[in-house]
Amino acid sequence: MILRLIPAAALGVLLGGVLGALFTGDWIYTIVWALAIPVVILSSMALGVRRMGIRAKRAEVVDTRIFALARVENVRRTGRDSGEAPEVDLRVTIAPDDREPYRTTIRQSIDAATLAGVQAGRIVVVQRLAADRPEAVLALDAPEGWRARAEAAMRDRSLFPAAIAPDWEDPAEDGVAAAPAAPAARKPLRPGALVPILAALVAAGVTLIPAWPMVSRTVANVATGNWDGNSMLTGDHQQEAVDAIAAVAGHYDFTGVSFYDEYVIVEGLTSPGADTTDDFHWRYGRAWQEGPSLIQPDLETELFDADDIDFSQVARLVEQAKDETGFTEFDGVYASVSRFTPDGAVAVHVSVSDPYKDAFFVYGLDGEEISRSGTAFE
């Protein structure tokens, strides 16, 4: 059972990796699905070899012949004899264990001694040639258990259907019935058949757990037609990204927060109470600590507490700045929050450019415009 679940689980990881890469763009998910491919192939091959071995072993010890009880309705010689084994047509009613009884004709050469015991009304053992076909032959070498069942049915007629069964045959050469194909008996679904499917779904779900916030956001955006919803400049989740970074850093003591279309970079204290700063990144729906800032800032003049700042207003201010420029196309858009103002107050900075001009806006934390500059206003 465990070996059978490995290919299913690996396939689920592969599916989760592909979906995770599509929804988040995270390179880690690309590595996940790439590694899952050989696991799926190798484990499937191993499972196939194991199943072949089991089937071969079963074939050595299991009698796969299909037996059934039958009642002889009449016996007719065809006139073709081969020594002591005359050819006869046996009209029989066959009662398989896996379907309703049916009637057909068996043409077979049977030796005289055996034929003497095959009379109308006799319960015999026949061997069916296929489970979904009616053709059969008189089983002259039936296992002891089946012969015992036939003898029991002769003593107790309730063990064999008394009603006349319908024919299951087509006209054939010499008037002998050649039974047509019939629908195979529907096999019940095995209780364990759904286990590999469930294993694949569980593995895919577990693989997608880190990406689930991005998946849910993307699905919600598509459902509402908000195609720009995941943008960190004009979308809806700037505050969530900053909060995720703060959770990794353990504080909101920042010296700068920079917003780009697909990611956010925060410069803040290396750890709570530290006198150095690190860069913290949010991308692919997750946050992490990148490492020391390239240029260590002046904490006395640049550090601020971002805990009470409403970063969700960044999208509105970016859209407002774009409208104020009058540009018809945009070459670059950038937003940040820092204390780079004449009076050292924390403010929102938005930079917008087209192929020819640029514009710079400074907004207070209340959303009011403080200043604007750039070639767009000259």
Side-chain angles (χ1 to χ4, degrees), residues 135-148:
E135 295 96 329
V137 295
L138 187 65
L140 303 177
D141 59 344
E144 180 62 33
W146 278 98
R147 293 200 298 269

Side-chain angles (χ1 to χ4, degrees), residues 150-187:
E151 293 298 329
M154 284 294 296
R155 293 190 299 270
D156 183 357
R157 291 291 177 167
S158 65
L159 299 178
F160 192 92
I164 298 177
D167 288 349
W168 186 13
E169 58 188 11
D170 282 341
E173 295 182 1
D174 301 327
V176 178
R186 180 174 296 179
K187 295 181 179 180

Side-chain angles (χ1 to χ4, degrees), residues 353-367:
S353 64
D354 73 357
Y356 304 100
K357 298 180 180 181
D358 52 41
F360 304 94
F361 298 85
V362 179
Y363 298 95
L365 295 182
D366 58 1

Side-chain angles (χ1 to χ4, degrees), residues 45 69 190 209 214 220 254:
M45 291 175 61
L69 294 183
R190 293 181 292 109
I209 287 177
M214 285 291 288
F254 303 153

Side-chain angles (χ1 to χ4, degrees), residues 48-367:
V49 170
R50 180 174 180 270
R51 284 176 173 171
M52 290 176 62
I54 292 175
R55 288 170 183 168
K57 185 176 180 180
R58 287 176 177 173
E60 296 175 357
V61 298
V62 177
D63 189 346
T64 58
R65 293 178 295 174
I66 306 172
F67 295 104
L69 294 183
R71 181 177 60 232
V72 179
E73 305 296 346
N74 61 67
V75 181
R76 182 177 66 87
R77 290 176 178 263
T78 65
R80 300 174 183 174
D81 293 351
S82 57
E84 297 181 355
E87 185 180 70
V88 296
D89 285 343
L90 301 178
R91 188 66 172 163
V92 294
T93 297
I94 299 178
D97 290 338
D98 59 350
R99 59 164 297 128
E100 294 298 317
Y102 64 91
R103 299 183 73 183
T104 190
T105 299
I106 296 174
R107 172 167 290 181
Q108 187 173 350
S109 295
I110 305 174
D111 64 80
T114 302
L115 185 58
V118 183
Q119 304 299 324
R122 182 73 183 180
I123 306 298
V124 297
V125 181
V126 297
Q127 179 184 340
R128 298 176 64 202
L129 303 187
D132 57 350
R133 300 283 300 173
E135 295 96 329
V137 295
L138 187 65
L140 303 177
D141 59 344
E144 180 62 33
W146 278 98
R147 293 200 298 269
R149 285 182 61 178
E151 293 298 329
M154 284 294 296
R155 293 190 299 270
D156 183 357
R157 291 291 177 167
S158 65
L159 299 178
F160 192 92
I164 298 177
D167 288 349
W168 186 13
E169 58 188 11
D170 282 341
E173 295 182 1
D174 301 327
V176 178
R186 180 174 296 179
K187 295 181 179 180
L189 185 64
R190 293 181 292 109
L194 293 178
V195 174
I197 298 176
L198 293 176
L201 293 176
V202 170
V206 171
T207 304
L208 280 173
I209 287 177
W212 185 246
M214 285 291 288
V215 173
S216 59
R217 291 174 195 169
T218 302
V219 171
N221 291 336
V222 171
T224 58
N226 183 14
W227 308 112
D228 204 30
N230 282 341
S231 172
M232 286 296 108
L233 282 170
T234 56
D236 304 325
H237 306 289
Q238 291 84 358
Q239 186 66 56
E240 295 174 32
V242 173
D243 289 341
I245 289 176
V248 171
H251 59 78
Y252 282 88
D253 295 323
F254 303 153
T255 58
V257 183
S258 301
F259 296 90
Y260 303 86
D261 188 46
E262 296 182 350
Y263 57 94
V264 177
I265 298 178
V266 168
E267 185 179 56
L269 296 183
T270 302
S271 59
D275 58 0
T276 58
T277 62
D278 277 18
D279 288 336
F280 299 85
H281 289 207
W282 181 95
R283 194 170 190 174
Y284 315 124
R286 58 187 176 89
W288 68 91
Q289 188 167 357
E290 182 70 11
S293 301
L294 182 61
I295 301 176
Q296 292 293 311
D298 181 355
L299 297 181
E300 185 175 347
T301 60
E302 299 181 36
L303 190 65
F304 62 91
D305 184 0
D307 192 11
D308 296 327
I309 297 177
D310 180 13
F311 289 95
S312 64
Q313 66 179 322
V314 169
R316 176 179 60 81
L317 296 178
V318 169
E319 293 289 5
Q320 179 177 319
K322 291 169 66 177
D323 291 340
E324 292 289 336
T325 63
F327 296 162
T328 57
E329 61 177 304
F330 298 92
D331 194 43
V333 180
Y334 165 77
S336 64
V337 176
S338 67
R339 293 178 61 179
F340 287 119
T341 57
D343 59 356
V346 180
V348 179
H349 305 261
V350 180
S351 171
V352 183
S353 64
D354 73 357
Y356 304 100
K357 298 180 180 181
D358 52 41
F360 304 94
F361 298 85
V362 179
Y363 298 95
L365 295 182
D366 58 1

